[in-house]
Amino acid sequence: MLDLATELHRWCARGRPFAVATVLATGGSAPRQPGAALAVDEEGAAAGSVSGGCVEGAVYELCRDALSGAGPATVVRRFGYSDEDAFAVGLSCGGEIDILVQRIDPRARPEIARALADAAAGRAAALARVADGPAELLGRALLVRADGSYDGTLGDGPRDRTAAGQAHAMLAAGRTGTVAVGRDGSRCGRPLTLLVESSVPPPRMLVFGAIDFAAALVRAGKFLGYDVTVCDARPVFTTAPRFPGADRVVVEWPHRYLDAEAAAGRIDPRTAVCVLTHDAKFDVPLLERALRLPLAYVGAMGSRRTHLQRLDRLRAAGLSETALARLRSPIGLDLGARTPEETALSIAAEIVALRYGATGRPLRDSGRPIHAVA
């Protein structure tokens, strides 16, 4: 989404209208999640995607109609599976998807332009747009920032404050989706349905151990959208030329670096820690600290024997069995990986599976929906 935000920020700089189609809600096996978007400018150029291809053409035409005036400037459309006509516009995967289409004039909606600027710059912000409600309010927006301040209006002060509070809570959780708000926070009367799109800085991946496996994992982490740091205490190996894709390369004892980042507030529950050194003098102090932090993922490379010895040392350091159960070691899924690139793929796959509570088994054998509710 950051790449699309960057492109739309450039479109805003031109000061010319464009249309954006955004996924409001999905059901079944719809391929994209709320917040996925397709944008079309006045010249017909398109950026982004809402369905992975199923209904892209129809949504593109809705955007063109919104821009030209041939269709509503703001409208919600639902697409679902159609088995009556093989050529009907629908989701062949069998799901349902609700799409909000809106014509946006950056000069008339400066709060949207500012939201795109924040997203392009990697600043945390949430954009709340009216997706359902009185016709005169459709498409109105609030830009809500991390400190709770907001720009724009939904036409009413109390409603603005209620909406800003709801959007701020979703921003804090890094969530995108819809929420209903009333004028004073109650559900009396007809509430507005807001699409809240949270834009947060990318999650961090901390890779400890300046080895060839780390170089491959850096590439995999960047592919997944992580901000990636490589850290090792050995300066001869820890150099920027060896890890050209990393956002930063740090020469420091791993546990000291993690302590400093945690103290500075740069570690959060989305952070992944990957320990590739398999050397007790580095691993044990680092893992002792990592397993006490609310991290998304903590994995450590090493053989099963190394893992058992490491567990004994961590128990001696005072870690509980509950904390030790969070350690993914040997690191990665069982893909039969041998090369650094294959190993990086197995680690990245485990991180994704853990994020969504998935099994890591072949989809053919999993017996669960392809796109489970997060």
Side-chain angles (χ1 to χ4, degrees):
M1 186 61 185
L2 285 180
D3 289 342
L4 179 58
T6 300
E7 181 66 17
L8 296 187
H9 177 48
R10 286 196 285 263
W11 290 6
C12 284
R14 301 186 316 191
R16 292 158 54 184
F18 55 90
V20 176
T22 310
V23 176
L24 275 177
T26 64
S29 296
R32 301 299 301 276
Q33 295 301 304
L38 168 70
V40 180
D41 71 5
E42 288 186 315
E43 297 172 354
S49 171
V50 292
S51 71
C54 304
V55 299
E56 226 72 7
V59 174
Y60 176 85
E61 291 304 325
L62 286 172
C63 288
R64 295 280 284 174
D65 288 346
L67 276 170
S68 68
T74 302
V75 66
V76 175
R77 289 284 186 266
R78 171 168 292 182
F79 296 90
Y81 179 69
S82 172
D83 57 3
E84 291 83 9
D85 181 354
F87 297 97
V89 174
L91 292 176
S92 58
C93 56
E96 289 185 336
I97 184 170
D98 291 340
I99 304 287
L100 169 66
V101 178
Q102 182 179 1
R103 180 184 187 273
I104 294 174
D105 184 339
R107 294 162 297 189
R109 294 281 183 234
E111 67 278 0
I112 294 180
R114 287 192 288 269
L116 291 168
D118 284 344
R123 294 187 291 266
L127 181 67
R129 290 186 282 155
V130 178
D132 184 44
E136 67 273 13
L137 296 182
L138 289 178
R140 288 209 184 186
L142 287 180
L143 166 62
V144 182
R145 296 192 171 88
D147 62 2
S149 62
Y150 59 91
D151 296 337
T153 181
L154 305 183
D156 179 271
R159 184 188 293 125
D160 289 347
R161 289 189 290 274
T162 299
Q166 294 271 22
H168 187 253
M170 293 184 71
L171 175 61
R175 291 183 52 234
T176 288
T178 57
V179 62
V181 299
R183 183 178 184 277
D184 58 0
S186 71
R187 299 304 170 91
C188 298
R190 183 187 178 190
L192 301 179
T193 298
L194 305 180
L195 171 63
V196 179
E197 299 166 274
S198 293
S199 174
V200 294
R204 296 190 67 189
M205 176 183 286
L206 308 182
V207 180
F208 295 99
I211 61 176
D212 51 356
F213 288 89
L217 185 55
V218 166
R219 294 192 293 272
K222 294 302 295 181
F223 178 76
L224 291 178
Y226 281 87
D227 176 291
V228 183
T229 297
V230 176
C231 176
D232 197 306
R234 302 166 296 179
V236 67
F237 299 117
T238 316
T239 64
R242 293 191 68 211
F243 305 98
D247 293 282
R248 61 198 62 80
V249 178
V250 178
V251 179
E252 179 58 279
W253 276 79
H255 69 281
R256 292 174 183 166
Y257 179 73
L258 186 63
D259 282 345
E261 293 300 286
R266 290 189 287 266
I267 302 295
D268 66 28
R270 301 179 301 150
T271 302
V273 167
C274 303
V275 182
L276 309 185
T277 46
H278 49 87
D279 183 329
K281 68 177 177 289
F282 295 121
D283 295 358
V284 173
L286 171 61
L287 290 171
E288 178 191 351
R289 287 156 172 81
L291 291 171
R292 298 182 193 276
L293 294 171
L295 303 173
Y297 177 89
V298 181
M301 182 175 279
S303 67
R304 297 189 187 280
R305 180 180 178 183
T306 297
H307 174 60
L308 293 175
Q309 293 172 343
R310 184 188 287 139
L311 288 179
D312 288 340
R313 292 187 175 98
L314 290 170
R315 289 188 185 98
L319 285 176
S320 68
E321 295 302 315
T322 299
L324 293 176
R326 295 178 50 224
L327 177 58
R328 318 293 288 197
S329 180
I331 197 170
L333 296 184
D334 181 10
L335 304 183
R338 294 290 185 272
T339 67
E341 289 73 21
E342 291 170 347
T343 301
L345 176 62
S346 78
I347 297 169
E350 184 174 47
I351 290 172
V352 173
L354 184 62
R355 180 192 305 166
Y356 295 112
T359 65
R361 297 170 55 197
L363 286 171
R364 181 190 63 187
D365 303 329
S366 70
R368 55 182 267 154
I370 295 174
H371 301 290
V373 177

